[in-house]
Amino acid sequence: MVHSKLFLFRRIIVGLLLLSNNWATAQKNNTPNIIVILTDDLGYGDVKAFYPKSKIPTPQIDRLASEGMRFTDAHSGSAYCSPTRYGILTGRYAWRTSLRKGVLQPYDPPIIARDRLTLPELLRQQGYSTACIGKWHLGWNWPMKDGQPDFSRPISDGPTTRGFDYYFGTDVPNYPPYCFIENDRTVGIPSDSQLVKKMPASYVLRYKGPAVPDWEPTEILPKIGQRAVRYIKDHAKDKKPFFLYFTLTSPHEPIAPSKEWQGRSGINPVADFIMETDSVVGAVVAAVRKNKLNKNTLIIFTSDNGHAPYTGLKPLLDAGHNPSGPFRGYKGDSWEGGHHIPFIAIWPGKIKPGTVNSNVICLTDLMATCAEVVGIRMPANAGEDSYSILPGFLSSTSGPTRESIIHQGGDGSLSIRKGPWKLIVPIKSGSARQLYNLSLDTSEEKDVAVENPDIVRQLYTLMEKCVSEGRSTPGPR
């Protein structure tokens, strides 16, 4: 009798394990892996697939465009780094937080609140493994000792407390500490404060500070690329789907292309760095193909804002290369060049190759999109500015998903876009509001605010409504 009960118990356990494995396999087969590739300061005109007049070869990114859908009216939530990254991971405009202008500074605390649902946490709740590899720039709570960071202790409130199972990268490549960080620990102890002073001025390192011995900026991009490739390989045979947020540190400063790529463009180091960025993107996508994951992986490629004008702009322009393409302005600007970005989505069998979508989208939309991809509703208290663009993925002829979009300039100015109209509201007192009709004036050369006071009033009222209600999507205030 005892033996029969034990046998029955074992059969039940085995059955449950098989059921669990079958469920996990089904989840893996029916739910795609999701990879978001976020470049740093890559302008719309830096990619040939978006701007054929570009003088810098980007064959790997161009191939992605041919294999998926190219969005020609995609925007970052901000013209700067930290606020855009906040919007990607929370589906919420960053100007709703204390970060109303600029970016986080070295050793700043986290900007994502502990109780705020993030995109990786939402996916983790659906059975995903989650990883962030690359640049973070959303703050940590650094342990302190005698008024200085104590690198011998764990760092709290970083990526692994905001929905990621794993993190590897550099917090900000041109900010101290100059080192890699894995999960919640620095890789080595940053102790050399003289090393940064000896680095080339072309790196554009803005802050002096401690570095690990032998720290070399030319190794940052290759190493995070290798980690991303390894992560894909290691998770290729997992039962669970994975979400990889791969945040490149290029072509942001330090402008430090590795030796293999130095001089390859024939223009300047920034152009070399863009070419190396393209190569690293290609290596990560190749890892998806090599590990036979391409049929069930959604890949999104984009940039966090426009091209930085202070890292070698003149040689680019002299070579006939316009990093912002047809648009006015650069990183930090409220004009299109500050936030009008390249965006490509690839999903074999779902997204038709070589298609183009001209609908207005924002990087805050990634959260609601991924929620719909995995078949769940967005919680009422999350993703307040996130609209699903999945219908756009599945059909380039689907209509627009959002009524309007609000952009954040580097100085805190806001601009609102609705249809062809764009209103810029400067933060400086006494500065006039600017109105452009983008369907007639792509390069924002003619301010038509004086001629269209009703449009100015309507757009400003809509902006006030989005601000006061705490959200731009339907839901509780």
Side-chain angles (χ1 to χ4, degrees), residues 325-472:
F327 307 122
R328 178 183 181 182
Y330 301 96
K331 174 182 179 179
D333 289 329
S334 291
W335 295 306
E336 292 292 286
H339 50 78
H340 199 135
I341 52 173
F343 186 104
I344 302 169
I346 308 96
W347 191 3
K350 300 287 186 180
I351 296 176
K352 188 176 179 180
T355 49
V356 178
N357 192 307
S358 60
N359 288 330
V360 176
I361 65 171
C362 182
L363 293 188
T364 57
D365 296 334
L366 291 180
M367 189 171 187
T369 303
C370 290
E372 188 171 5
V373 164
V374 301
I376 61 172
R377 289 179 177 272
M378 281 290 297
N381 61 343
E384 292 92 335
D385 302 300
S386 188
Y387 292 80
S388 173
I389 55 176
L390 180 60
F393 287 175
L394 304 181
S395 173
S396 60
T397 59
S398 65
T401 57
R402 49 167 59 244
E403 177 188 23
S404 64
I405 181 174
I406 296 179
H407 310 296
Q408 180 179 2
D411 65 353
S413 300
L414 295 182
S415 58
I416 184 167
R417 166 87 176 276
K418 182 181 180 183
W421 296 104
K422 175 181 172 184
L423 177 69
I424 298 177
V425 182
I427 197 169
K428 295 179 181 178
S429 61
S431 298
R433 297 168 186 169
Q434 303 169 38
L435 180 70
Y436 300 97
N437 186 332
L438 296 181
S439 65
L440 302 176
D441 182 20
T442 303
S443 58
E444 297 172 287
E445 293 179 349
K446 183 173 175 54
D447 177 4
V448 293
V450 174
E451 299 96 310
N452 297 275
D454 290 343
I455 300 295
V456 171
R457 185 164 49 252
Q458 291 169 17
L459 290 176
Y460 189 75
T461 300
L462 179 57
M463 178 188 286
E464 285 187 315
K465 179 174 179 287
C466 289
V467 172
S468 63
E469 292 189 350
R471 63 186 310 136
S472 56

Side-chain angles (χ1 to χ4, degrees), residues 144-411:
M144 306 298 286
K145 183 178 181 181
D146 300 327
Q148 298 295 323
D150 183 356
F151 300 118
S152 68
R153 294 163 55 195
I155 319 158
S156 61
D157 285 316
T160 55
T161 67
R162 297 301 189 267
F164 290 106
D165 298 316
Y166 176 75
Y167 172 74
F168 177 85
T170 57
D171 182 38
V172 186
N174 64 318
Y175 283 6
Y178 296 104
C179 65
F180 287 113
I181 301 172
E182 188 163 21
N183 294 324
D184 61 352
R185 294 269 190 172
T186 60
V187 179
I189 301 297
S191 57
D192 189 342
S193 295
Q194 299 300 314
L195 180 62
V196 175
K197 296 180 181 179
K198 302 174 185 176
M199 291 184 179
S202 61
Y203 283 5
V204 199
L205 293 168
R206 299 193 177 280
Y207 294 92
K208 309 304 180 187
V212 294
D214 302 320
W215 179 248
E216 177 48 66
T218 59
E219 297 178 1
I220 298 174
L221 182 58
K223 284 190 176 179
I224 62 173
Q226 292 161 12
R227 285 291 180 124
V229 168
R230 185 199 304 178
Y231 182 87
I232 292 167
K233 179 181 178 181
D234 290 347
H235 287 76
K237 296 181 181 179
D238 280 1
K239 301 297 183 183
K240 298 168 65 175
F242 65 82
F243 169 61
L244 172 60
Y245 177 54
F246 178 45
T247 57
L248 286 78
T249 53
S250 59
H252 189 283
E253 67 270 21
I255 306 302
S258 58
K259 187 175 181 179
E260 176 188 355
W261 290 94
Q262 292 171 11
R264 290 279 288 272
S265 69
I267 301 176
N268 69 352
V270 179
D272 299 340
F273 213 20
I274 290 172
M275 291 179 66
E276 185 173 11
T277 300
D278 177 75
S279 176
V280 171
V281 170
V284 170
V285 176
V288 174
R289 299 189 187 103
K290 183 177 181 180
N291 289 282
K292 300 179 180 179
L293 296 172
N294 50 305
K295 291 184 178 180
N296 194 38
T297 300
L298 167 61
I299 301 175
I300 293 168
F301 167 86
T302 188
S303 179
D304 65 345
N305 46 245
H307 186 104
Y310 46 80
T311 56
L313 179 61
K314 188 177 185 302
L316 296 176
L317 296 178
D318 289 346
H321 178 81
N322 188 342
S324 296
F327 307 122
R328 178 183 181 182
Y330 301 96
K331 174 182 179 179
D333 289 329
S334 291
W335 295 306
E336 292 292 286
H339 50 78
H340 199 135
I341 52 173
F343 186 104
I344 302 169
I346 308 96
W347 191 3
K350 300 287 186 180
I351 296 176
K352 188 176 179 180
T355 49
V356 178
N357 192 307
S358 60
N359 288 330
V360 176
I361 65 171
C362 182
L363 293 188
T364 57
D365 296 334
L366 291 180
M367 189 171 187
T369 303
C370 290
E372 188 171 5
V373 164
V374 301
I376 61 172
R377 289 179 177 272
M378 281 290 297
N381 61 343
E384 292 92 335
D385 302 300
S386 188
Y387 292 80
S388 173
I389 55 176
L390 180 60
F393 287 175
L394 304 181
S395 173
S396 60
T397 59
S398 65
T401 57
R402 49 167 59 244
E403 177 188 23
S404 64
I405 181 174
I406 296 179
H407 310 296
Q408 180 179 2
D411 65 353

Side-chain angles (χ1 to χ4, degrees), residues 113-133:
R114 292 183 182 181
D115 59 352
R116 167 65 52 178
L117 180 67
T118 63
L119 170 56
E121 180 59 35
L122 180 145
L123 293 174
R124 189 160 66 173
Q125 291 174 4
Q126 303 307 308
Y128 275 72
S129 297
T130 60
C132 173
I133 296 177

